[in-house]
């Protein structure tokens, strides 16, 4: 007896990174409002100092100062912090803070030295080391592969206990927001092993499906069934970066290009055409599902070309390839996705978190109104997923629902009203349709006899609530296969 409270199918995560969510939960919270206090650089430094003072944190043993979620577009200074400002936090310890997009970061002088990055270092393929204006000295800001290199130096210090803690905390947070199936959407050998270990020992509260990076993994054993709530579902390819970080690969220049770059700057690809086509071919040849991160429309063009080649070569393969993010998806590309049977997993939460930034700085008014263009998909009767990409944003299911329905920005603007969807459609994009995406539509995504008892109980019926109240609905209970795995206070 729920006393009139609404019961919905458990939410199915269309795309996120559960392992990284756990690392976010254990790092200093640098997110801006409403998810944190990181609204200016002084606040970032204060949060890092408070985290350093916490002697109980599992990551403190590493000797690094780690923060997650700063966002230059929301900082009062409207810029990235510098190595000098992080040196002021800890001059003798490595400090690394991670941009909310997960595609950039800032390292202090000690961390740069440990990673071997100095004035003589060249930009790595698919990445950028930002420099001081008066010299080639790194200013601390690192993009894409340059950032991942420093992150790798840190990750080498993670032991088995830390890796398992990431999995436990990430899965726990997903259940807190009503997700009963979650992704590790760009897995490594380390994260796969950590998830499997947790699944086989202490157990997972929800189903976890992992997609190892296709460029770093040769042997992938995929499975359609879960073993202790874990399976490997396919592989992941990342073609470009982040629009809010201005590293996504566009066909037209950014509205306001980053300082020091030419007026025709359009971002860049993280991998070249040959690597992209080879990775997609490899997935089709093995019958693997492939998730492809492509934010910029130039990156989406390359994905479409790669799948077209693979479809011609392997016409009988049914692997439901997925476009992840598709932020600047053009209307002409929507028809090509439909023709090639590419499932779009879009990111409407961008309208809330970065809609104003996209309109005023990243894309300009016209392109920004069409970011995550769900209206174009509905116009073609296409299914789609709506995701949160945690830890890029908190795995807040009701924020996902609200953004997909309202497209309201932080300032109150409605970004692309023609792409608003009704509540029931937005709920399908969080339940039944991503269940189909994962080949699990016969077991999940709706409440029917014969399906799993994956449920979420909400504080208010979203079908009856005003649009602007959707984000305030709370998850009161999460049930996985008939077991209560989260209950609010």
């Amino acid at each position: 007896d729920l006393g009139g409270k609404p019961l919905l199918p458990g939410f199915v995560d269309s795309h996120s990174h559960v392992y990284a969510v756990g690392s976010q939960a254990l790092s200093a919270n640098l997110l801006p409002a409403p998810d944190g206090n990181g609204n200016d650089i002084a606040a970032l430094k204060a949060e890092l100092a408070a985290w350093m003072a916490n002697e109980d944190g599992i990551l403190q043993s590493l000797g690094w100062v780690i923060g997650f979620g700063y966002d230059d577009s929301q900082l009062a200074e409207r810029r990235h912090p510098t190595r000098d400002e992080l040196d002021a936090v800890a001059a003798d310890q490595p400090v690394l803070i991670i941009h909310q997009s997960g595609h950039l970061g800032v390292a202090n002088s000690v961390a740069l030295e440990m990673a071997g990055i100095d004035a003589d270092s060249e930009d790595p393929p698919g990445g950028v080391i930002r420099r001081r204006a008066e010299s080639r000295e790194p200013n601390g800001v690192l993009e894409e592969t340059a950032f991942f290199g420093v992150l790798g130096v840190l990750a080498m210090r993670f032991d088995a206990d830390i890796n398992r803690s990431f999995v436990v905390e990430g899965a726990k947070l997903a259940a807190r927001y009503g997700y009963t199936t979650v992704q590790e959407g760009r897995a490594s050998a380390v994260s796969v092993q950590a998830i499997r270990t947790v699944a086989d020992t202490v157990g997972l509260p929800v189903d976890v499906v992992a997609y190892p990076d296709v460029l770093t993994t040769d042997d992938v054993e995929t499975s359609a069934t879960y073993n202790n709530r874990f399976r490997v579902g396919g592989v992941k390819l990342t073609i470009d970066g982040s629009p809010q970080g201005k590293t996504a690969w566009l066909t037209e220049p950014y509205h306001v290009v980053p300082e020091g770059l030419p007026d025709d700057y359009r971002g860049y690809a993280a991998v070249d055409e040959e690597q992209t086509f080879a990775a997609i071919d490899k997935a089709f040849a093995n019958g693997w599902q492939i998730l492809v991160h492509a934010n910029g429309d130039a990156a989406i063009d390359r994905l479409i070309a790669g799948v077209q080649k693979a479809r011609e070569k392997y016409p009988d393969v049914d692997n439901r390839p997925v476009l992840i993010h598709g932020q600047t998806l053009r209307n002409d590309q929507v028809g090509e996705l439909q023709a090639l049977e590419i499932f779009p997993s879009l990111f409407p939460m961008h309208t809330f978190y970065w809609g104003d930034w996209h309109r005023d700085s990243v894309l300009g008014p016209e392109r920004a109104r069409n970011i995550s263009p769900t209206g174009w998909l509905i116009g073609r009767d296409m299914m789609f997923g709506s995701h949160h990409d945690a830890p890029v944003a908190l795995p807040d299911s009701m924020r996902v629902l609200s953004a997909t329905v309202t497209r309201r920005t932080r300032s109150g603007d409605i970004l692309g009203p023609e792409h608003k969807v009704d509540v029931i459609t937005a709920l399908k994009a969080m339940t039944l349709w991503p269940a189909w995406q994962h080949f699990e539509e016969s077991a999940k995504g709706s409440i029917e006899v014969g399906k799993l008892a994956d449920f979420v109980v909400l504080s208010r019926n979203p079908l009856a609530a005003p649009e602007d109240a959707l984000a305030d609905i709370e998850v009161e209970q999460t049930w996985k296969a008939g077991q209560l795995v989260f209950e609010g206070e």
Side-chain angles (χ1 to χ4, degrees):
D1 182 358
L2 298 177
K5 296 290 177 65
L7 180 77
L8 282 77
F11 299 130
V12 179
D13 178 11
S14 188
H15 180 66
S16 74
H17 309 267
V18 67
Y19 173 85
V21 171
S23 68
Q24 176 190 31
L26 297 171
S27 304
N29 179 10
L30 306 184
L31 291 167
D35 302 320
N37 299 315
N39 300 316
D40 56 39
I41 291 173
L44 300 185
K45 293 163 73 173
E47 290 291 336
L48 291 169
W51 183 85
M52 292 169 65
N54 177 15
E55 297 180 359
D56 297 328
I58 190 170
L59 290 182
Q60 268 80 346
S61 62
L62 298 177
W64 284 59
V65 181
I66 309 164
F68 189 95
Y70 87 90
D71 183 358
D72 57 306
S73 74
Q74 301 303 315
L75 293 175
E77 295 85 355
R78 288 294 191 272
R79 64 170 176 82
H80 295 270
T82 66
R83 65 188 289 183
D84 301 313
E85 286 162 328
L86 296 189
D87 285 346
V89 173
D92 301 321
Q93 285 180 269
V95 181
L96 181 66
I97 63 172
I98 302 168
H99 190 266
Q100 190 172 359
S101 69
H103 285 259
L104 303 92
V106 187
N108 76 339
S109 297
V110 175
L112 290 170
E113 182 179 356
M114 292 177 66
I117 297 175
D118 57 26
D120 296 325
S121 300
E122 298 296 331
D123 289 350
V128 172
I129 302 169
R130 294 194 186 180
R131 317 280 176 169
R132 288 174 170 160
E134 69 279 3
S135 70
R136 279 184 51 83
E137 280 291 328
N139 68 5
V141 182
L142 306 165
E143 300 178 8
E144 303 296 339
T145 55
F147 163 65
F148 298 141
V150 178
L151 198 60
V153 173
L154 168 62
M156 289 175 63
R157 302 176 66 87
F158 295 166
D159 61 17
D161 287 341
I162 289 176
N163 284 316
R164 288 193 293 268
S165 295
F166 289 169
V167 176
V168 170
E169 293 299 322
K172 186 189 303 182
L173 192 61
R176 158 70 182 82
Y177 286 105
Y179 287 94
T180 51
T181 301
V182 299
Q183 266 192 24
E184 174 43 55
R186 189 183 182 182
S188 64
V190 170
S191 60
V192 167
Q193 183 56 50
I195 300 168
R196 182 171 284 121
T197 299
V198 171
D200 293 343
T201 54
V202 299
L204 292 164
V206 296
D207 284 343
V208 177
V209 54
Y211 293 82
D213 190 323
V214 67
L215 298 179
T216 60
T217 307
D218 292 323
D219 185 21
V220 179
E221 294 185 14
T222 62
S223 174
T225 59
Y226 289 89
N227 183 17
N228 296 326
R229 295 185 176 168
F230 175 63
R231 71 181 178 93
V232 175
V235 292
K236 172 71 175 297
L237 173 67
T238 301
I239 296 181
D240 70 341
S242 151
Q244 69 269 37
K246 299 187 179 179
T247 60
W249 185 28
L250 307 175
T251 56
E252 299 294 332
Y254 279 90
H255 187 60
V256 178
V257 303
E259 184 179 356
L261 294 176
D263 291 342
D264 62 351
Y265 171 76
R266 301 182 294 112
Y268 48 88
V271 293
D272 62 28
E273 182 178 79
E274 182 179 357
Q275 289 174 300
T276 300
F277 290 174
I280 295 172
D281 183 274
K282 182 178 180 179
F284 273 74
N286 287 280
W288 299 334
Q289 185 177 38
I290 184 167
L291 314 184
V292 182
H293 168 121
N295 264 314
D297 59 334
I300 299 169
D301 280 335
R302 184 164 286 177
L303 162 64
I304 289 169
V307 173
Q308 178 68 53
K309 284 178 173 290
R311 287 261 184 245
E312 293 171 357
K313 188 174 179 180
Y314 309 99
D316 298 325
V317 171
D318 178 20
N319 59 345
R320 298 185 187 176
V322 180
L323 164 63
I324 298 295
H325 305 324
Q327 294 285 53
T328 57
L329 182 66
R330 302 190 309 266
N331 203 354
D332 63 290
Q333 292 174 324
V334 173
E336 294 180 283
L337 296 185
Q338 186 174 37
L340 292 169
E341 299 180 346
I342 299 172
F343 181 88
S345 176
L346 301 188
F347 197 177
M349 281 177 84
H350 258 255
T351 56
F352 172 73
Y353 281 107
W354 298 286
D356 298 317
W357 178 243
H358 289 317
R359 182 194 61 227
D360 299 338
S361 184
V362 178
L363 299 171
E366 184 57 34
R367 283 184 295 176
R369 72 180 290 125
N370 293 318
I371 201 161
S372 291
T374 46
W376 292 341
L377 303 177
I378 293 169
R380 291 179 175 269
D381 295 322
M382 293 172 65
M383 295 186 294
F384 65 93
S386 182
H387 64 251
H388 47 74
D389 198 25
V392 171
L394 289 174
D396 186 340
S397 53
M398 293 299 97
R399 179 67 70 185
V400 174
L401 178 66
S402 172
T404 309
V405 171
T406 70
R407 295 182 68 90
R408 189 176 298 281
T409 72
R410 291 177 188 264
S411 71
D413 189 16
I414 303 297
L415 198 65
E418 64 271 30
H419 297 300
K420 292 173 63 174
V421 305
D422 57 24
V423 173
I424 193 65
T425 300
L427 288 171
K428 287 180 181 179
M430 299 168 63
T431 52
L432 190 59
W433 293 344
W436 185 93
Q437 169 193 336
H438 289 93
F439 293 86
E440 298 185 54
E441 67 272 21
S442 64
K444 299 176 181 178
S446 57
I447 301 176
E448 300 180 62
V449 173
K451 289 194 173 185
L452 289 172
D454 290 358
F455 305 132
V456 59
V457 179
L458 302 179
S459 62
R460 186 174 184 179
N461 182 359
L463 294 172
E467 283 187 358
D468 289 337
L470 292 173
D472 298 323
I473 296 175
E474 295 182 356
V475 172
E476 296 198 347
Q477 294 180 344
T478 303
W479 294 78
K480 175 61 190 168
Q483 297 179 327
L484 182 65
V485 294
F486 167 77
E487 185 166 27
E489 297 179 358

